[in-house]
Amino acid sequence: MRTLYILFFFICVFANICCSEGSNNQPILPDEEEPTPPPSEFNPDNVGLEYDDGTNIAFHIKIAIDKEGFDMRDMDFFKSRLKTQWEAINERFMKLDKKNVLKRNYIFIPDLEDIIIFEGDHWEVPKNYANRIDKNKYQCIVAYDFVIQEGEGGGGCSDDGYGMSNILVVNPGIEPGKFFNHLDETTSTVAAIVHEFGHFRGIIDLYPFAIKASDNPVSGQSFSPIAGIMNNPYPAIKDCEWSEYELRCLNVNGARKEYRLYDTCLWETFTDFIEFTITENGEPVEGYTLNFYKTESYKVTKQIAHTMSADGNKVRKDAKALFWYGKALWQYYGMFLVEAINTKTGNKGYCFLPIYEPHTQGLIDKVENKITDKSFYKKTIDIQPQKQ
Ligand SMILES: [Zn+2]
């Protein structure tokens, strides 16, 4: 994923409007009246901001193409291929929900009639071409950079500050001045855009939590985050899917328009307390110290963000106070390596604590089970006696 693209998003969608195959098999008698369509039939013309009709969530997507790339082909080249690509994006987004957990059918509708041909910084398209983007209609823009210039970096998902996502599709690995065809089916653009739509719909990246044993100077253990589209979005549809965590985020966020929705999602549905239980060789430990080591850039650091002592073998910690270090919603730690030291024996035990674990607990308790009591995420660290 860290490879080529950056992406962002969306699609369009006609496939979902069709009837199921079964409905076509019903013979219609000559004098039978045409069935009237149900009132809720999806009509793209009705789609505005935060569109959710109870069956479909839909978004109009503004498309932009860099002028350097556009000048090397003609409009037909882009329009025909974009249409195909966005059908594939829509298909992939839904097919990655393999257990039918999504509460809505998602539809991404690219505007292929008024494509913006942009000059200058791709991240500035929403500002520089504001008069071309109806803020009451578009909740997301996808800019393609087919020809990069010296010094241009990677893509990804950004925000205009008010909840309109700004997704950039670019391949920073290609030679400046050369045309890279993001619309070729053999590229990973469809998968990348679906991943960026994950951000658009309020999910954080999960791949940065991966840690190699050699990058953990504290305990020497490795860590692999849960598989999913925000971890590795590139496998074929048959080989990957939205994880349960990702599906929970998609369902709770729906069609919501919000600045950095993924941060808001974490904050609003986070568990209340994290309860640690410490054992040594399976026996309760009375009296210990907990150290929370920071992780960053795929490494465990030797910096301790929090430290605490406890007398009994259980201790509760305010979950938000543990993860958020500043007042802004985006000021949180992604993951800790937690170290437990038995006061009596001096032996140490460890566990990784990625932010999506207590968040998952919060989503289950507060959204799915709607509990009125406080939500607790429980974590046990079993200390193994150190080898001499
Ligand atoms: Zn990402």
Side-chain angles (χ1 to χ4, degrees), residues 278 280 283-289 310-311 340-348 383 386:
I278 310 302
E280 180 161 333
E283 297 296 319
V285 169
E286 304 293 332
Y288 56 88
T289 299
D311 294 330
I341 307 172
N342 186 336
T343 308
K344 210 181 281 176
T345 66
N347 290 334
K348 297 171 180 175
I383 297 171
Q386 265 125 40

Side-chain angles (χ1 to χ4, degrees), residues 1 195-196 199 205 207 230:
M1 143 163 263
H195 169 93
E196 299 303 335
H199 291 313
D205 274 321
Y207 63 85
M230 306 315 284

Side-chain angles (χ1 to χ4, degrees), residues 336-372:
F336 297 114
L337 173 69
V338 187
E339 176 182 65
I341 307 172
N342 186 336
T343 308
K344 210 181 281 176
T345 66
N347 290 334
K348 297 171 180 175
Y350 297 89
C351 74
F352 283 97
L353 182 59
I355 195 168
Y356 62 76
E357 287 184 2
H359 188 214
T360 298
Q361 189 68 50
L363 288 163
I364 291 170
D365 290 343
K366 298 180 176 187
V367 179
E368 285 159 41
N369 296 336
K370 295 186 170 56
I371 65 168
T372 49

